[in-house]
């Protein structure tokens, strides 16, 4: 009897911690490992600007499913997204960023806000939220973790 009661109590207390965590993956998995230097080769990634990367620049660098879109906000935080539209899920249909902090899918017309993100313990993650009424997308853009390195102005993008 005591064993049954103990088992029931454990089940009741552990049940809330077993909630399904929502995945941040909106595209098929593709490895990301990319190094950028805003004081050097990527100096054009200034405050409130964007830059796309369609392939790695050194051996071992990978750029996800369809390439990377980096956006630097007014405070200097950098958010990085995959260029593939999560509604289309096609690596050849790439979102097109603009200077207003948004990106649009040329195929389905979905619009995403790329200028906001969150600060994680290990770096930053962009939100990539779809704009309601601007296309059929309901999922955000695939976002990748951006961390600093020991060199000033250098950041690493990983998944």
């Amino acid at each position: 009897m005591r064993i049954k009661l103990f088992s029931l109590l454990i089940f009741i207390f552990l049940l809330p911690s077993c909630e399904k965590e929502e995945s941040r993956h909106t595209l098929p998995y593709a490895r990301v490992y990319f190094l950028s230097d805003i004081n050097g080769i990527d100096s054009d990634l200034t405050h409130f600007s964007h830059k796309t990367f369609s392939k790695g620049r050194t051996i071992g660098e990978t750029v996800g499913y369809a390439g990377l879109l980096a956006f630097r906000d007014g405070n200097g935080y950098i958010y990085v997204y995959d260029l593939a539209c999560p509604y289309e899920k096609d690596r050849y249909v790439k979102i097109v960023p603009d200077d207003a902090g948004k990106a649009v899918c040329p195929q389905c017309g979905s619009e995403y806000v790329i200028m906001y993100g969150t600060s994680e313990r290990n770096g930053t993650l962009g939100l990539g939220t779809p704009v309601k009424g601007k296309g059929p997308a309901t999922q955000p853009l695939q976002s990748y973790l951006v961390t600093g390195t020991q060199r000033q102005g250098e950041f690493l993008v990983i998944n």
Side-chain angles (χ1 to χ4, degrees), residues 135-157:
T138 58
Q139 292 184 308
L141 293 172
Q142 175 66 53
S143 180
Y144 298 115
L145 183 66
V146 178
T147 63
T149 68
Q150 292 180 349
R151 289 189 48 205
Q152 182 69 20
E154 199 173 71
F155 66 90
L156 179 65
V157 183

Side-chain angles (χ1 to χ4, degrees), residues 31-155:
R31 187 173 178 269
V32 176
Y33 184 87
F34 190 80
L35 189 64
S36 183
D37 184 0
I38 58 175
N39 292 330
I41 192 168
D42 299 314
S43 61
D44 53 344
L45 190 56
T46 58
H47 291 281
F48 213 76
S49 68
H50 65 270
K51 187 170 183 176
T52 59
F53 305 93
S54 58
K55 61 183 177 177
R57 298 181 288 205
T58 62
I59 294 174
E61 283 191 335
T62 55
V63 293
Y65 188 65
L68 300 176
L69 164 61
F71 182 85
R72 188 172 180 196
D73 72 8
N75 295 319
Y77 292 110
I78 296 170
Y79 309 114
V80 178
Y81 307 94
D82 201 288
L83 283 169
C85 173
Y87 181 79
E88 296 295 330
K89 292 189 181 356
D90 183 339
R91 69 176 9 123
Y92 301 106
V93 177
K94 300 180 183 197
I95 58 170
V96 179
D98 64 20
D99 292 330
K102 294 186 178 173
V104 177
C105 173
Q107 186 75 28
C108 70
S110 294
E111 188 174 297
Y112 303 90
V113 179
I114 60 172
M115 65 180 169
Y116 299 114
T118 62
S119 180
E120 298 275 314
R121 184 170 52 101
N122 298 329
T124 60
L125 276 171
L127 296 177
T129 310
V131 178
K132 290 185 183 200
K134 300 278 187 164
T138 58
Q139 292 184 308
L141 293 172
Q142 175 66 53
S143 180
Y144 298 115
L145 183 66
V146 178
T147 63
T149 68
Q150 292 180 349
R151 289 189 48 205
Q152 182 69 20
E154 199 173 71
F155 66 90

